[in-house]
Amino acid sequence: MKYKATKFSVFIPFLAVLLFVGFAQAQFPGTGTLTGQVTLESTGEPLAHLVLTVSNNLLPIPIPVMTDSAGYYDMSLMKGTYTISLLDTSLYQQLNLTDVVITSGETTVQNISVTRKPPDAMIKGNVTLGGEPVEGAKVQLIRIPSIDFSNELKKADGLSLVAYSTTTDANGDFSLDIVHGNYFLYIPYGEKYFPYWSSELYVAAGDTINLSIDLTSNNFVKITGTVYNFEMFDMVFFAATRVDSTFRSSSFLADTSGNYKINVLSGQYLLSCTGILNGTPYTLYYGDVLSPDEATIVDAAKDTSGIDFAFPSNLGISQITVTGRVMDAETSEPIEGAKVRFEGENIGFNYHDTLHHYHLPAVMTDADGYYTVSGKTFLDSVTVIGYAKKDGYFAQFYDDQSSFFSATPITILAGDTAKGIDFSLTPVTSANTYSISGMVLGEDGQAPDYGAVIAHYGDECKYAETDAEGKYQIDGLPQDAKVILQAWGFPGYIPIFYDNAYSWKDATIITMDADKTIDFTLPTNNLSNSIGMISGKVTVSNQLQGDITLLVKKADTDNWYSADYADAKGQFNLPIESFGQYDLLATAPGYENYMTSVDVNNSTGLYVKNLEITLDPTSIGGENTGNVIRSNVLYSAYPNPFNPSTTIKVAMAKNEKVSLFVYNVLGQRVKTLFEGNLKEGAHEFRWDGKDDRNQSVASGLYFYQLKTETNIQTKNVIFMK
């Protein structure tokens, strides 16, 4: 067996260091101790969590050691002569302390005085609370080291890395002379305000950053009350969501008498009380109603008491059951081992509708193709969507439908059994067909609890459910079919088309000339602070060719907040955060996109109902890829933040002279991604975090800008080392 010399030559120094340090730390014969305190030369102040390196000619790699909270360091070394240096010189002058002698069995005390670099930049600003200046607020700058020693930093409290500190004056103003570099600005908790953290700040030499900081009041008030008839539940908890912001607070029962207390900021709140029994939730809103749009809003301008809840005294939990059989559609033979599952008709879309967030456990058919599945509910009836699949067969929804959203709903009465819910699965034929397979994961790296991929082509669509690892496979796609692929997941994810498109018109169309592997990364969303809803109905002028996706977001934000699909009657429900202006998108393959703006205010209430949307048909066309670009588009970089690289996608409506540059926060161009004539269609550009001189840029916020003959589009991206 042969080994490359390069591997061996790298291994030897690491082995030497491991043996050297290992022997030393174990206090073998021939070792001594090096200790001391590190202080700032100008003031004598001890320097906590400063990383030193110790080296000599026997060590190819310096050994790091970090000072403790009082500036002391301590380490064991083999006897010899050493040099002590600073690992990070972003704030301090380099230290080269030579001829430090370690004697076997003895302790060498080496106190160290370091010199801070002279300031060459400034951060100043003004701090307010509700528009009024805050005097005496402590303002701290947390340094971001210029080199990576993350393992050492894991030992340190981030706040001990404070590089500069000051307090605001009577006008709320502050000013700090600093050494250029990357920082976070931190204002600790105050008597009347919450702590404040800035985003990463980069200050270049000779520059000044001016900040305006408005702190968030911590002027808490108490909401108290009592819940009645709660004894049947395993757990009871309460939530208060402010109607004009994303602030949310929660608590549990304070005692066995049903009393509770929630601390909130002054304002108007949607209050809810949720009981959990055998894993099944039952939620009441204030006024003892089941829907937030019927709830009484609580005005908590001051401490508010008497906000009581009462669960129904006759509330019970009932069993429901579904039975049926899965057969081969061609041979009428039973299919053993087919997976059958049932999900609530509106799975995952309405955060507040906990009663209808319902699913039955998945089951497998027996040797005769039969299955039985049971569950429990508080409701008088439950409406579910049924689904069956088996390798080698096309997945099918009840009854004889190809997707979740066109399936026939099944209503089951409490205590009853829905019988004869049968499925006939069609075998996959391999002649002149191909498959698409891959992974569906969230930005958090997790597979959705319930996910699926839908392939639209012509007037048809095929569907595949993801497994526990996020894997999927769609079989039987005809040769040369033009496929529009969409992935979705519940709960907590926004659906996307391939690749990273929210609209089918922006999707990359897949031509089936071979088996394909396509992965999806779904944007995550958090509906825990949603307290409102935009609902309505979508109509089309002819037979719909695909499922209708609806998305909504705040008008002044980039990320979609929630999503829904129109059901068989065209109805949809989109959770929203609070009052405000919202953008709504409806998209479906074969139809023009529909965009509208919805104003949610005191006049409309938090629940906007009966919004009417009409989709007009358009041609996907034989050779048309479906990616009809009507205007130039600069897409969000992915991933963002990134390390080591990110991809920026550009769509061009026509051939045009363009430039695509990256700028730092000072407006200085750091990277040219493209400059010249760019052809019509979709293009991707990769930025590896290096400038035009091929030098790695500092961690921080950057802007990338697409400039054409007719307009300029700018987006931002964060590079994290």
Side-chain angles (χ1 to χ4, degrees):
M1 182 180 294
K2 295 182 179 180
Y3 295 91
K4 290 186 178 180
T6 53
K7 291 184 178 179
F8 191 70
S9 63
V10 170
F11 175 72
I12 288 295
F14 276 102
L15 179 60
V17 171
L18 290 174
L19 291 173
F20 192 93
V21 177
F23 290 159
Q25 298 299 324
Q27 288 293 303
F28 281 91
T31 65
T33 299
L34 175 63
T35 187
Q37 186 182 35
V38 182
T39 57
L40 187 62
E41 183 181 44
S42 59
T43 65
E45 171 192 356
L47 296 176
H49 302 301
L50 191 69
V51 180
L52 307 173
T53 61
V54 180
S55 62
N56 67 8
N57 56 5
L58 297 178
L59 283 175
I61 301 173
I63 303 172
V65 60
M66 178 179 281
T67 61
D68 63 18
S69 58
Y72 288 99
Y73 69 97
D74 185 277
M75 66 188 307
S76 296
L77 295 167
M78 299 290 288
K79 66 179 181 179
T81 302
Y82 293 85
T83 296
I84 303 177
S85 304
L86 292 179
L87 182 60
D88 177 30
T89 58
S90 58
L91 292 178
Y92 303 99
Q93 303 286 1
Q94 181 55 278
L95 172 73
N96 284 297
L97 189 62
T98 60
D99 299 328
V100 179
V101 178
I102 302 299
T103 304
S104 177
E106 296 185 6
T107 296
T108 299
V109 178
Q110 184 66 63
N111 294 322
I112 300 171
S113 179
V114 299
T115 303
R116 189 187 289 267
K117 288 181 177 180
D120 58 4
M122 178 182 288
I123 290 182
K124 63 180 183 178
N126 180 258
V127 179
T128 59
L129 177 63
E132 296 298 321
V134 177
E135 180 180 5
K138 181 178 287 188
V139 179
Q140 299 176 331
L141 281 185
I142 314 298
R143 66 185 175 92
I144 302 175
S146 60
I147 45 79
D148 180 15
F149 45 92
S150 55
N151 286 334
E152 292 297 328
L153 288 179
K154 288 177 182 177
K155 306 173 186 176
D157 176 359
L159 294 184
S160 64
L161 299 177
V162 173
Y164 302 95
S165 181
T166 187
T167 56
T168 57
D169 62 19
N171 297 318
D173 295 325
F174 68 90
S175 178
L176 287 166
D177 293 315
I178 64 172
V179 177
H180 72 276
N182 293 67
Y183 298 89
F184 290 111
L185 187 144
Y186 173 66
I187 298 178
Y189 198 106
E191 182 180 352
K192 296 182 178 180
Y193 51 83
F194 286 112
Y196 170 85
W197 280 96
S198 74
S199 57
E200 185 174 344
L201 303 171
Y202 174 71
V203 192
D207 282 353
T208 297
I209 287 182
N210 200 335
L211 302 174
S212 294
I213 300 169
D214 191 37
L215 301 174
T216 301
S217 170
N218 68 359
N219 184 23
F220 283 120
V221 297
K222 294 189 292 291
I223 299 177
T224 58
T226 304
V227 58
Y228 300 96
N229 304 325
F230 69 92
E231 292 80 5
M232 69 175 295
F233 293 104
D234 301 322
M235 180 176 66
V236 177
F237 64 90
F238 305 84
T241 306
R242 190 162 163 170
V243 300
D244 59 350
S245 73
T246 59
F247 180 83
R248 181 180 173 89
S249 182
S250 60
S251 73
F252 295 91
L253 283 175
D255 55 39
T256 57
S257 299
N259 298 311
Y260 75 93
K261 178 181 71 174
I262 302 180
N263 291 322
V264 298
L265 298 174
S266 176
Q268 293 186 316
Y269 285 86
L270 174 71
L271 266 291
S272 65
C273 173
T274 299
I276 306 292
L277 177 62
N278 296 330
T280 301
Y282 188 97
T283 298
L284 286 176
Y285 294 89
Y286 184 54
D288 293 338
V289 295
L290 298 178
S291 175
D293 62 326
E294 300 174 351
T296 301
I297 300 300
V298 177
D299 188 356
K302 56 183 180 180
D303 289 350
T304 304
S305 60
I307 307 302
D308 300 336
F309 295 87
F311 289 109
S313 58
N314 60 347
L315 185 63
I317 192 166
S318 303
Q319 180 165 300
I320 59 172
T321 303
V322 186
T323 64
R325 198 179 193 191
V326 181
M327 309 289 287
D328 187 305
E330 294 184 357
T331 66
S332 298
E333 293 294 320
I335 299 176
E336 181 181 5
K339 181 180 179 181
V340 182
R341 67 184 298 168
F342 296 87
E343 296 286 345
E345 184 181 19
N346 62 344
I347 174 177
F349 295 123
N350 181 358
Y351 174 79
H352 294 290
D353 191 7
T354 56
L355 289 178
H356 294 89
H357 282 180
Y358 193 81
H359 68 89
L360 294 168
V363 295
M364 309 295 285
T365 55
D366 63 18
D368 295 318
Y370 289 105
Y371 72 89
T372 298
V373 58
S374 298
K376 295 182 178 181
T377 182
F378 287 112
L379 299 172
D380 295 331
S381 64
V382 169
T383 301
V384 294
I385 300 295
Y387 168 78
K389 74 170 187 176
K390 167 79 173 179
D391 289 345
Y393 292 85
F394 291 115
Q396 184 194 93
F397 289 83
Y398 187 76
D399 61 317
D400 295 326
Q401 297 297 313
S402 59
S403 80
F404 184 97
F405 310 103
S406 61
T408 300
I410 304 159
T411 299
I412 314 164
L413 298 177
D416 202 358
T417 298
K419 301 178 180 179
I421 307 300
D422 300 333
F423 300 87
S424 295
L425 304 187
T426 302
V428 174
T429 58
S430 59
N432 298 321
T433 63
Y434 296 105
S435 67
I436 299 177
S437 61
M439 297 277 289
V440 178
L441 299 175
E443 290 175 335
D444 54 5
Q446 302 298 311
D449 293 341
Y450 187 78
V453 179
I454 305 173
H456 305 270
Y457 60 97
D459 294 336
E460 300 184 45
C461 68
K462 284 186 166 55
Y463 176 99
E465 185 184 55
T466 59
D467 64 15
E469 297 178 350
K471 297 178 181 178
Y472 77 93
Q473 180 165 321
I474 300 177
D475 297 312
L477 297 168
Q479 183 175 350
D480 297 326
K482 306 294 184 183
V483 176
I484 302 168
L485 203 63
Q486 185 186 30
W488 51 274
F490 305 119
Y493 300 94
I494 296 291
I496 58 173
F497 292 90
Y498 179 69
D499 66 307
N500 295 324
Y502 297 103
S503 156
W504 77 273
K505 282 182 171 289
D506 295 326
T508 298
I509 307 305
I510 304 155
T511 300
M512 297 308 301
D513 52 8
D515 291 339
K516 306 284 185 180
T517 299
I518 294 177
D519 297 330
F520 290 89
T521 301
L522 301 180
T524 56
N525 70 335
N526 179 8
L527 301 183
S528 63
N529 59 357
S530 69
I531 58 173
M533 188 81 68
I534 297 175
S535 61
K537 183 177 182 180
V538 183
T539 58
V540 295
S541 55
N542 61 5
Q543 181 63 38
L544 186 62
Q545 296 180 1
D547 299 307
I548 305 170
T549 305
L550 297 106
L551 301 151
V552 70
K553 66 180 180 69
K554 276 284 187 72
D556 57 351
T557 61
D558 292 329
N559 299 324
W560 294 104
Y561 178 74
S562 69
D564 196 3
Y565 293 85
D567 63 18
K569 298 178 181 179
Q571 296 173 339
F572 66 89
N573 296 288
L574 290 164
I576 57 174
E577 298 170 81
S578 57
F579 292 130
Q581 194 79 21
Y582 288 86
D583 293 333
L584 186 148
L585 167 68
T587 182
Y591 288 82
E592 294 286 355
N593 289 338
Y594 180 94
M595 284 287 295
T596 190
S597 179
V598 181
D599 187 18
V600 182
N601 51 44
N602 286 319
S603 177
T604 64
L606 285 169
Y607 265 58
V608 178
K609 301 180 180 180
N610 303 319
L611 184 66
E612 295 287 341
I613 294 175
T614 300
L615 298 184
D616 297 319
T618 186
S619 173
I620 296 179
E623 293 302 318
N624 182 2
T625 64
N627 191 12
V628 181
I629 303 171
R630 302 180 182 277
S631 61
N632 300 330
V633 180
L634 177 64
Y635 292 91
S636 296
Y638 184 82
N640 185 15
F642 75 95
N643 183 3
S645 66
T646 189
T647 299
I648 298 169
K649 184 177 177 182
V650 174
M652 298 297 298
K654 62 178 181 178
N655 297 349
E656 196 170 357
K657 185 177 180 179
V658 307
S659 63
L660 182 60
F661 298 145
V662 179
Y663 297 89
N664 62 22
V665 292
L666 303 176
Q668 300 166 329
R669 186 199 303 179
V670 298
K671 182 68 174 179
T672 301
L673 296 177
F674 184 85
E675 189 173 20
N677 291 314
L678 197 59
K679 293 183 179 181
E680 176 186 354
H683 306 269
E684 289 186 352
F685 300 90
R686 177 179 170 272
W687 185 36
D688 59 1
K690 295 181 179 179
D691 61 22
D692 285 328
R693 297 174 298 170
N694 203 36
Q695 299 295 313
S696 180
V697 300
S699 297
L701 178 68
Y702 292 85
F703 301 92
Y704 58 98
Q705 184 180 88
L706 176 69
K707 184 176 182 180
T708 68
E709 297 171 352
T710 56
N711 71 346
I712 297 175
Q713 299 179 55
T714 305
K715 291 182 177 290
N716 62 66
V717 66
I718 296 175
F719 177 50
M720 299 291 289
K721 285 188 178 180

